[in-house]
PDB file of all heavy atoms in Angstrom:
ATOM      1  N   ILE A 277      -1.591   5.621  -9.056  1.00 98.00           N
ATOM      2  CA  ILE A 277      -1.472   4.881  -7.797  1.00 98.00           C
ATOM      3  C   ILE A 277      -1.489   5.794  -6.561  1.00 98.00           C
ATOM      4  O   ILE A 277      -2.124   5.460  -5.552  1.00 98.00           O
ATOM      5  CB  ILE A 277      -0.158   4.041  -7.803  1.00 98.00           C
ATOM      6  CG1 ILE A 277      -0.073   3.157  -9.064  1.00 98.00           C
ATOM      7  CG2 ILE A 277      -0.010   3.214  -6.532  1.00 98.00           C
ATOM      8  CD1 ILE A 277      -1.185   2.143  -9.240  1.00 98.00           C
ATOM      9  N   ALA A 278      -0.788   6.931  -6.649  1.00 98.00           N
ATOM     10  CA  ALA A 278      -0.606   7.802  -5.466  1.00 98.00           C
ATOM     11  C   ALA A 278      -1.912   8.146  -4.752  1.00 98.00           C
ATOM     12  O   ALA A 278      -1.956   8.114  -3.512  1.00 98.00           O
ATOM     13  CB  ALA A 278       0.152   9.066  -5.860  1.00 98.00           C
ATOM     14  N   PRO A 279      -3.003   8.450  -5.477  1.00 98.00           N
ATOM     15  CA  PRO A 279      -4.220   8.877  -4.769  1.00 98.00           C
ATOM     16  C   PRO A 279      -4.844   7.801  -3.871  1.00 98.00           C
ATOM     17  O   PRO A 279      -5.649   8.134  -3.007  1.00 98.00           O
ATOM     18  CB  PRO A 279      -5.194   9.252  -5.912  1.00 98.00           C
ATOM     19  CG  PRO A 279      -4.320   9.512  -7.090  1.00 98.00           C
ATOM     20  CD  PRO A 279      -3.151   8.601  -6.946  1.00 98.00           C
ATOM     21  N   VAL A 280      -4.484   6.532  -4.065  1.00 98.00           N
ATOM     22  CA  VAL A 280      -5.062   5.486  -3.199  1.00 98.00           C
ATOM     23  C   VAL A 280      -4.038   4.984  -2.164  1.00 98.00           C
ATOM     24  O   VAL A 280      -4.314   4.023  -1.438  1.00 98.00           O
ATOM     25  CB  VAL A 280      -5.643   4.298  -4.016  1.00 98.00           C
ATOM     26  CG1 VAL A 280      -6.826   4.760  -4.852  1.00 98.00           C
ATOM     27  CG2 VAL A 280      -4.586   3.635  -4.895  1.00 98.00           C
ATOM     28  N   CYS A 281      -2.867   5.621  -2.109  1.00 98.00           N
ATOM     29  CA  CYS A 281      -1.851   5.226  -1.125  1.00 98.00           C
ATOM     30  C   CYS A 281      -1.900   6.144   0.093  1.00 98.00           C
ATOM     31  O   CYS A 281      -2.355   7.290   0.012  1.00 98.00           O
ATOM     32  CB  CYS A 281      -0.447   5.304  -1.740  1.00 98.00           C
ATOM     33  SG  CYS A 281      -0.164   4.023  -2.967  1.00 98.00           S
ATOM     34  N   SER A 282      -1.388   5.627   1.211  1.00 97.00           N
ATOM     35  CA  SER A 282      -1.313   6.442   2.415  1.00 97.00           C
ATOM     36  C   SER A 282      -0.293   7.557   2.210  1.00 97.00           C
ATOM     37  O   SER A 282      -0.486   8.686   2.661  1.00 97.00           O
ATOM     38  CB  SER A 282      -0.870   5.590   3.607  1.00 97.00           C
ATOM     39  OG  SER A 282      -1.527   4.349   3.606  1.00 97.00           O
ATOM     40  N   SER A 283       0.827   7.217   1.582  1.00 97.00           N
ATOM     41  CA  SER A 283       1.858   8.215   1.330  1.00 97.00           C
ATOM     42  C   SER A 283       2.814   7.731   0.243  1.00 97.00           C
ATOM     43  O   SER A 283       2.764   6.566  -0.151  1.00 97.00           O
ATOM     44  CB  SER A 283       2.627   8.534   2.613  1.00 97.00           C
ATOM     45  OG  SER A 283       3.049   7.346   3.217  1.00 97.00           O
ATOM     46  N   SER A 284       3.666   8.658  -0.190  1.00 98.00           N
ATOM     47  CA  SER A 284       4.614   8.347  -1.271  1.00 98.00           C
ATOM     48  C   SER A 284       6.019   8.779  -0.870  1.00 98.00           C
ATOM     49  O   SER A 284       6.184   9.785  -0.184  1.00 98.00           O
ATOM     50  CB  SER A 284       4.256   9.113  -2.548  1.00 98.00           C
ATOM     51  OG  SER A 284       2.951   8.818  -2.963  1.00 98.00           O
ATOM     52  N   VAL A 285       7.012   8.005  -1.295  1.00 98.00           N
ATOM     53  CA  VAL A 285       8.419   8.371  -1.115  1.00 98.00           C
ATOM     54  C   VAL A 285       9.023   8.406  -2.517  1.00 98.00           C
ATOM     55  O   VAL A 285       9.039   7.386  -3.208  1.00 98.00           O
ATOM     56  CB  VAL A 285       9.170   7.336  -0.251  1.00 98.00           C
ATOM     57  CG1 VAL A 285      10.626   7.762  -0.072  1.00 98.00           C
ATOM     58  CG2 VAL A 285       8.503   7.145   1.106  1.00 98.00           C
ATOM     59  N   VAL A 286       9.513   9.558  -2.906  1.00 98.00           N
ATOM     60  CA  VAL A 286       9.911   9.751  -4.304  1.00 98.00           C
ATOM     61  C   VAL A 286      11.278  10.424  -4.393  1.00 98.00           C
ATOM     62  O   VAL A 286      11.506  11.429  -3.711  1.00 98.00           O
ATOM     63  CB  VAL A 286       8.846  10.635  -5.017  1.00 98.00           C
ATOM     64  CG1 VAL A 286       9.315  11.088  -6.384  1.00 98.00           C
ATOM     65  CG2 VAL A 286       7.528   9.895  -5.133  1.00 98.00           C
ATOM     66  N   GLY A 287      12.174   9.861  -5.194  1.00 97.00           N
ATOM     67  CA  GLY A 287      13.385  10.574  -5.565  1.00 97.00           C
ATOM     68  C   GLY A 287      14.553  10.457  -4.602  1.00 97.00           C
ATOM     69  O   GLY A 287      15.541  11.174  -4.762  1.00 97.00           O
ATOM     70  N   PHE A 288      14.501   9.544  -3.645  1.00 97.00           N
ATOM     71  CA  PHE A 288      15.616   9.359  -2.701  1.00 97.00           C
ATOM     72  C   PHE A 288      16.561   8.241  -3.115  1.00 97.00           C
ATOM     73  O   PHE A 288      17.410   7.840  -2.318  1.00 97.00           O
ATOM     74  CB  PHE A 288      15.086   9.041  -1.298  1.00 97.00           C
ATOM     75  CG  PHE A 288      14.559  10.244  -0.557  1.00 97.00           C
ATOM     76  CD1 PHE A 288      13.206  10.551  -0.580  1.00 97.00           C
ATOM     77  CD2 PHE A 288      15.422  11.062   0.159  1.00 97.00           C
ATOM     78  CE1 PHE A 288      12.724  11.657   0.104  1.00 97.00           C
ATOM     79  CE2 PHE A 288      14.946  12.165   0.848  1.00 97.00           C
ATOM     80  CZ  PHE A 288      13.595  12.468   0.819  1.00 97.00           C
ATOM     81  N   GLY A 289      16.381   7.697  -4.316  1.00 97.00           N
ATOM     82  CA  GLY A 289      17.172   6.532  -4.694  1.00 97.00           C
ATOM     83  C   GLY A 289      16.716   5.330  -3.878  1.00 97.00           C
ATOM     84  O   GLY A 289      15.631   5.357  -3.265  1.00 97.00           O
ATOM     85  N   PRO A 290      17.542   4.271  -3.816  1.00 97.00           N
ATOM     86  CA  PRO A 290      17.150   3.062  -3.074  1.00 97.00           C
ATOM     87  C   PRO A 290      16.886   3.326  -1.593  1.00 97.00           C
ATOM     88  O   PRO A 290      16.163   2.576  -0.942  1.00 97.00           O
ATOM     89  CB  PRO A 290      18.373   2.146  -3.234  1.00 97.00           C
ATOM     90  CG  PRO A 290      19.071   2.642  -4.434  1.00 97.00           C
ATOM     91  CD  PRO A 290      18.822   4.113  -4.515  1.00 97.00           C
ATOM     92  N   PHE A 291      17.465   4.417  -1.046  1.00 97.00           N
ATOM     93  CA  PHE A 291      17.230   4.780   0.354  1.00 97.00           C
ATOM     94  C   PHE A 291      15.741   5.022   0.617  1.00 97.00           C
ATOM     95  O   PHE A 291      15.262   4.910   1.754  1.00 97.00           O
ATOM     96  CB  PHE A 291      18.060   6.030   0.694  1.00 97.00           C
ATOM     97  CG  PHE A 291      17.987   6.441   2.137  1.00 97.00           C
ATOM     98  CD1 PHE A 291      18.451   5.611   3.139  1.00 97.00           C
ATOM     99  CD2 PHE A 291      17.452   7.680   2.489  1.00 97.00           C
ATOM    100  CE1 PHE A 291      18.386   5.989   4.477  1.00 97.00           C
ATOM    101  CE2 PHE A 291      17.377   8.065   3.816  1.00 97.00           C
ATOM    102  CZ  PHE A 291      17.853   7.219   4.815  1.00 97.00           C
ATOM    103  N   GLY A 292      14.988   5.321  -0.446  1.00 98.00           N
ATOM    104  CA  GLY A 292      13.545   5.527  -0.305  1.00 98.00           C
ATOM    105  C   GLY A 292      12.832   4.323   0.303  1.00 98.00           C
ATOM    106  O   GLY A 292      11.841   4.471   1.016  1.00 98.00           O
ATOM    107  N   TYR A 293      13.359   3.120   0.018  1.00 98.00           N
ATOM    108  CA  TYR A 293      12.726   1.921   0.591  1.00 98.00           C
ATOM    109  C   TYR A 293      12.909   1.885   2.106  1.00 98.00           C
ATOM    110  O   TYR A 293      12.020   1.442   2.837  1.00 98.00           O
ATOM    111  CB  TYR A 293      13.305   0.649  -0.045  1.00 98.00           C
ATOM    112  CG  TYR A 293      12.868   0.450  -1.477  1.00 98.00           C
ATOM    113  CD1 TYR A 293      13.716   0.767  -2.523  1.00 98.00           C
ATOM    114  CD2 TYR A 293      11.609  -0.056  -1.773  1.00 98.00           C
ATOM    115  CE1 TYR A 293      13.318   0.594  -3.850  1.00 98.00           C
ATOM    116  CE2 TYR A 293      11.200  -0.246  -3.088  1.00 98.00           C
ATOM    117  CZ  TYR A 293      12.069   0.086  -4.118  1.00 98.00           C
ATOM    118  OH  TYR A 293      11.663  -0.094  -5.421  1.00 98.00           O
ATOM    119  N   HIS A 294      14.074   2.344   2.561  1.00 98.00           N
ATOM    120  CA  HIS A 294      14.324   2.408   4.006  1.00 98.00           C
ATOM    121  C   HIS A 294      13.393   3.452   4.646  1.00 98.00           C
ATOM    122  O   HIS A 294      12.796   3.210   5.703  1.00 98.00           O
ATOM    123  CB  HIS A 294      15.795   2.762   4.253  1.00 98.00           C
ATOM    124  CG  HIS A 294      16.167   2.742   5.701  1.00 98.00           C
ATOM    125  ND1 HIS A 294      16.230   1.581   6.439  1.00 98.00           N
ATOM    126  CD2 HIS A 294      16.464   3.747   6.568  1.00 98.00           C
ATOM    127  CE1 HIS A 294      16.559   1.864   7.684  1.00 98.00           C
ATOM    128  NE2 HIS A 294      16.698   3.173   7.793  1.00 98.00           N
ATOM    129  N   LEU A 295      13.269   4.598   3.969  1.00 98.00           N
ATOM    130  CA  LEU A 295      12.357   5.626   4.485  1.00 98.00           C
ATOM    131  C   LEU A 295      10.927   5.092   4.554  1.00 98.00           C
ATOM    132  O   LEU A 295      10.185   5.372   5.502  1.00 98.00           O
ATOM    133  CB  LEU A 295      12.411   6.875   3.591  1.00 98.00           C
ATOM    134  CG  LEU A 295      13.732   7.634   3.589  1.00 98.00           C
ATOM    135  CD1 LEU A 295      13.687   8.778   2.576  1.00 98.00           C
ATOM    136  CD2 LEU A 295      14.046   8.183   4.977  1.00 98.00           C
ATOM    137  N   ALA A 296      10.558   4.310   3.559  1.00 98.00           N
ATOM    138  CA  ALA A 296       9.202   3.733   3.551  1.00 98.00           C
ATOM    139  C   ALA A 296       9.015   2.771   4.733  1.00 98.00           C
ATOM    140  O   ALA A 296       7.939   2.727   5.337  1.00 98.00           O
ATOM    141  CB  ALA A 296       8.943   3.015   2.233  1.00 98.00           C
ATOM    142  N   MET A 297      10.060   2.009   5.053  1.00 98.00           N
ATOM    143  CA  MET A 297       9.983   1.097   6.205  1.00 98.00           C
ATOM    144  C   MET A 297       9.775   1.891   7.501  1.00 98.00           C
ATOM    145  O   MET A 297       8.940   1.529   8.333  1.00 98.00           O
ATOM    146  CB  MET A 297      11.282   0.287   6.342  1.00 98.00           C
ATOM    147  CG  MET A 297      11.498  -0.754   5.290  1.00 98.00           C
ATOM    148  SD  MET A 297      10.411  -2.172   5.471  1.00 98.00           S
ATOM    149  CE  MET A 297      11.089  -2.943   6.915  1.00 98.00           C
ATOM    150  N   ILE A 298      10.557   2.959   7.661  1.00 98.00           N
ATOM    151  CA  ILE A 298      10.421   3.793   8.869  1.00 98.00           C
ATOM    152  C   ILE A 298       8.996   4.369   8.922  1.00 98.00           C
ATOM    153  O   ILE A 298       8.336   4.349   9.957  1.00 98.00           O
ATOM    154  CB  ILE A 298      11.477   4.929   8.883  1.00 98.00           C
ATOM    155  CG1 ILE A 298      12.881   4.338   8.986  1.00 98.00           C
ATOM    156  CG2 ILE A 298      11.210   5.905  10.023  1.00 98.00           C
ATOM    157  CD1 ILE A 298      14.000   5.347   8.781  1.00 98.00           C
TER     158      ILE A 298
END
Side-chain angles (χ1 to χ4, degrees):
I277 307 300
V280 295
C281 290
S282 317
S283 50
S284 302
V285 181
V286 169
F288 283 95
F291 185 63
Y293 289 101
H294 185 69
L295 294 175
M297 289 288 289
I298 295 171

